[in-house]
Amino acid sequence: MPTARAISSAVLLSTAALLASSLTACAPAARDGDRRGDGGTATDEQALKAFRGQSPDWQDCPAPAPVQGGGEAPRALPDGTAWQCATLRAPLDWKKPAGESMDLALIRARSSGDAADRIGSLLFNFGGPGGSGVATLPGLAPDYDKLRARYDLVSFDPRGVGNSRAVRCSDPALPDDSEVDDTPDDGADELAALVAFNRDTAAACERNSGDVLPYVGTTQAAQDMDLIRQVLGDEKLHYFGISYGTELGGAYAHLFPERVGRAVLDGVVDPTHDRMAEALAQAGGFQRAFEHFAAWCAERGCALGADAERIVAATVALEEALDDTPLPVSDGGELDGDALIDAVSGALYRQDYWPTLRVALEAAADDDGDVLQDLAEALGQRGGDGDPDASDAPDVSDESDGSNEEDAFRAITCDDSSDRYTAADVRARLPEFLRASPLFGPGLAWSALACAGWPVPGTAHRPEVSAPGAPPVLLVGNTGDPATPYEGAARMAERLGKGVGFELTFEGEGHGAYDSGNGCVREAVDAYLLDGRLPAPGAVCEAEPLPEGK
C-alpha cells in the first residue's frame, strides 16, 4: 500500500517541476550567537533588526542540489528573464532570535511588466510538506506567466527542506521501506516490523538532524515567510498556497492578519482535522475520485466492467491478487499491489492521466503489468528500481544522496501534530477506513503510525488559522479533489473568520484547480491577484471535458 507521502503529500505531480536551483550567499545576519562589533552578545531585538535588514545577493541559479531533487539549472523564461537564487538568514528558533541561525533558499523571476504597474512579490508554496519550492517554481512558471505582469514570482525551500537546513533520516541500519508492509494484515510479525521501522526511523532522524527537528513546523515557517516579505521590501505578503501550502498560508494569516495582501489558497487542507481524521477524509476523497474515474471509464466501454461499481470491485480484486502473486514485468521486476495503488493514486491527481490509467489497468487485468508499472514510475510514485517511493526517498545506504522530501514530510507533520497514535488506535479505527475505501483506506490508516516514537512532542492537533481582521483570502475548492477533499475549503473559510475566507468552487477532478488549466478558475484567480476583484459570492467553475477520443 502507499506510504503516507505517496497519498497524503500534496506536491503537484509534474515531471517538469523539478528544474530549479541551489543558492548563493547573502548579507550575513546574526549567526549562531554572533557577538556585536563592540564585543557584547546580540540581544533578540538586535538580532531581529539584523535579520530584517538583509539584502539578498541574487545570482544566476545553478542546478538544483540532489537534496532538492536534482536536475538541470533552470532555463531563462521565454522573454529572456533569468532565474535568480539567493540565501536568507533566519533564526533557527523564532522564540530565540539571538541564538543559532539557518539558511533559507530563495528563487525568483522578476516581473515582466512596467515598474509602475508592479504590485510586489508573489510568494508560492506548492505543497507537501517537504517539496522544494526552489526546484518546483521554474517548471510550473508557465502556468503563472500572466501573474508576472505585476509580480515577481518567488518561492523558497521551507525550513527542513532541500537547501534550507534539510532534515535527514536516512541510515544504513534501517531496512528499505519496500521491505516493510505498510498494511500489516498477515500476522503479528508484519505489525511488529512496521512499528519497529517507524520507531527506528524516528531515532535515525534524531541522530542525523536532532538539532533542527524541533524547529521545522508550520508556525516557524510562517514566520520565515514574514521575514521574506520584509527583506523583499513588500508591505503586505501576496501569497499563492497549494495543498499543504494552504495550511501554511492559514498559519501566516493567523500570526500576521494585518500583513496579509492578496492571498489564494487552492486545494484547501481542512484545518479542523487531527491527523487520523485527515487520513480518513483522504481515504474517502481518493475513493470518490476513483469512482468518478470508474464512471468515466464505463462510459467509454472499459474492459474492467460495465459500470462504475464493477470497475471498482475489479480493481480491488486485482490489487488483492497482485498482493498475493505479483505479476512479472519485462524489466525483470514484479508488479505488486503496492504498485497498483501507487499508480492509481498518482493518476487521480490529474484528470488528463485518466486515459493512461484506463489502459494500464486493462492491461494488468490481462496479465500485462508493464504499462501500470511505467505509469507509477512516470508519476514519481515508484523509482526506476521498482521500490515504492524510491524516486523521492533518499537512498538508505547514503544519506547524502537524493531528495529529502520524504524525511521532511515526516518531520514537519510530526512537529505540527501532537497526535501519537498506537497500533491499538489504528486497529480500533480500521473498520471506518475500510468502509471509506477498501482500496486506499488501509494504507492511510496505518500511516498514522508515522509519528510514533518521534523525539519532538509536537505542538497541537493542527496549526491555528483564525485570522480576524485579515482582508479577504480566496479559497478554491475542487469537488473531485482526492488529497484535499472539497469540504476542507468551507471549514477553512469558517476558521479564518467572518469576511476573511471567500470560496470559489471548481466542479472538476484532480488535486487543486488552478494548475488544471481550467479557464474559469484561472480567470477568477488572476482577476483577484492582479486587480483585487473577487468572484461573485457562490461562484462555480465547471470542468472542461477531456477531448474526444480520450
Side-chain angles (χ1 to χ4, degrees):
M1 299 294 286
T3 64
R5 195 215 58 83
I7 286 184
S8 300
S9 172
V11 177
L12 296 179
L13 300 171
S14 172
T15 56
L18 298 175
L19 290 176
S21 79
S22 67
L23 306 155
T24 57
C26 67
R31 178 189 294 260
D32 304 346
D34 280 350
R35 293 184 174 273
R36 303 195 315 268
D38 61 7
T41 301
T43 65
D44 285 347
E45 184 177 351
Q46 290 166 335
L48 288 172
K49 184 177 180 181
F51 286 124
R52 293 164 181 161
Q54 294 175 83
S55 179
D57 181 17
W58 295 101
Q59 301 285 340
D60 290 343
C61 293
V67 73
Q68 294 173 301
E72 299 179 355
R75 298 178 180 177
L77 292 165
D79 66 358
T81 300
W83 290 98
Q84 299 176 318
C85 289
T87 55
L88 188 67
R89 296 296 292 181
L92 178 64
D93 182 358
W94 274 98
K95 294 178 181 178
K96 299 177 181 178
E100 187 178 351
S101 61
M102 60 175 287
D103 285 338
L104 295 174
L106 301 178
I107 188 169
R108 75 174 180 184
R110 299 305 299 268
S111 171
S112 60
D114 294 336
D117 294 329
R118 182 180 177 275
I119 295 172
S121 299
L122 182 62
L123 186 65
F124 289 83
N125 181 281
F126 298 100
S132 166
V134 171
T136 301
L137 179 58
L140 296 181
D143 288 345
Y144 309 110
D145 188 63
K146 187 173 181 179
L147 300 174
R148 201 163 63 87
R150 303 196 70 186
Y151 293 99
D152 296 345
L153 305 185
V154 180
S155 193
F156 67 115
D157 288 356
R159 52 179 54 224
V161 175
N163 274 0
S164 294
R165 197 72 173 266
V167 170
R168 279 299 197 185
C169 302
S170 305
D171 194 298
L174 287 173
D176 190 294
D177 63 0
S178 66
E179 300 173 7
V180 180
D181 191 340
D182 292 330
T183 57
D185 55 4
D186 193 19
D189 289 347
E190 285 187 350
L191 178 56
L194 178 61
V195 170
F197 178 79
N198 283 304
R199 180 194 63 223
D200 294 346
T201 299
C205 291
E206 186 173 26
R207 284 194 302 273
N208 296 329
S209 299
D211 56 344
V212 73
L213 287 186
Y215 311 113
V216 298
T218 296
T219 297
Q220 298 248 20
Q223 291 172 289
D224 292 338
M225 294 204 306
D226 199 57
L227 177 63
I228 293 170
R229 174 194 65 81
Q230 293 173 80
V231 169
L232 294 178
D234 291 334
E235 292 185 6
K236 303 284 186 179
L237 180 75
H238 307 293
Y239 179 73
F240 200 135
I242 300 165
S243 196
Y244 163 76
T246 68
E247 185 174 298
L248 181 56
Y252 181 89
H254 172 69
L255 293 173
F256 308 106
E258 73 285 357
R259 299 175 195 167
V260 175
R262 296 175 186 173
V264 174
L265 308 183
D266 182 10
V268 185
V269 172
D270 190 328
T272 69
H273 282 162
D274 61 22
R275 295 300 169 186
M276 187 74 83
E278 178 185 34
L280 182 60
Q282 285 187 318
F286 275 94
Q287 182 68 23
R288 178 169 56 192
F290 187 62
E291 289 171 357
H292 292 176
F293 159 80
W296 169 89
C297 196
E299 290 174 358
R300 284 153 181 79
C302 187
L304 293 170
D307 54 39
E309 185 175 355
R310 293 179 186 179
I311 292 170
V312 171
T315 305
V316 172
L318 178 59
E319 187 273 332
E320 292 173 349
L322 292 172
D323 243 5
D324 292 336
T325 308
L327 185 64
V329 292
S330 59
D331 67 359
E334 293 182 328
L335 178 77
D336 58 15
D338 288 350
L340 181 145
I341 295 290
D342 289 343
V344 173
S345 60
L348 295 178
Y349 273 63
R350 290 182 62 100
Q351 191 177 17
D352 51 10
Y353 296 152
W354 285 11
T356 305
L357 178 60
R358 172 192 173 184
V359 171
L361 288 174
E362 290 176 336
D366 199 29
D367 294 333
D368 177 1
D370 287 352
V371 183
L372 197 62
Q373 178 175 265
D374 290 346
L375 178 62
E377 292 176 1
L379 296 178
Q381 299 291 338
R382 295 172 69 83
D385 60 1
D387 290 338
D389 299 302
S391 63
D392 292 322
D395 185 339
V396 295
S397 66
D398 180 359
E399 69 178 46
S400 67
D401 180 27
S403 162
N404 86 315
E405 181 178 345
E406 184 103 3
D407 295 343
F409 178 91
R410 186 185 295 258
I412 296 168
T413 298
C414 297
D415 196 41
D416 279 351
S417 175
S418 59
D419 300 321
R420 299 293 181 261
Y421 298 109
T422 66
D425 295 328
V426 176
R427 280 201 203 95
R429 301 292 298 274
L430 195 55
E432 295 177 70
F433 281 83
L434 286 168
R435 286 193 296 271
S437 175
L439 198 58
F440 306 105
L444 282 162
W446 288 109
S447 74
L449 295 183
C451 296
W454 194 251
V456 178
T459 53
H461 288 307
R462 270 290 199 207
E464 180 59 60
V465 300
S466 62
V473 174
L474 181 57
L475 311 175
V476 188
N478 180 350
T479 59
D481 198 313
T484 52
Y486 172 67
E487 296 79 8
R491 292 177 185 144
M492 178 68 83
E494 182 179 1
R495 282 295 175 94
L496 285 170
K498 186 176 181 180
V500 180
F502 196 97
E503 292 182 70
L504 170 67
T505 294
F506 173 48
E507 292 183 344
E509 305 294 341
H511 182 40
Y514 190 92
D515 286 318
S516 73
N518 180 266
C520 172
V521 171
R522 289 201 173 177
E523 182 178 347
V525 170
D526 291 350
Y528 181 54
L529 289 174
L530 295 173
D531 302 317
R533 290 187 287 110
L534 286 165
V540 176
C541 289
E542 296 181 358
E544 296 145 3
L546 288 174
E548 286 298 323
K550 288 191 174 183

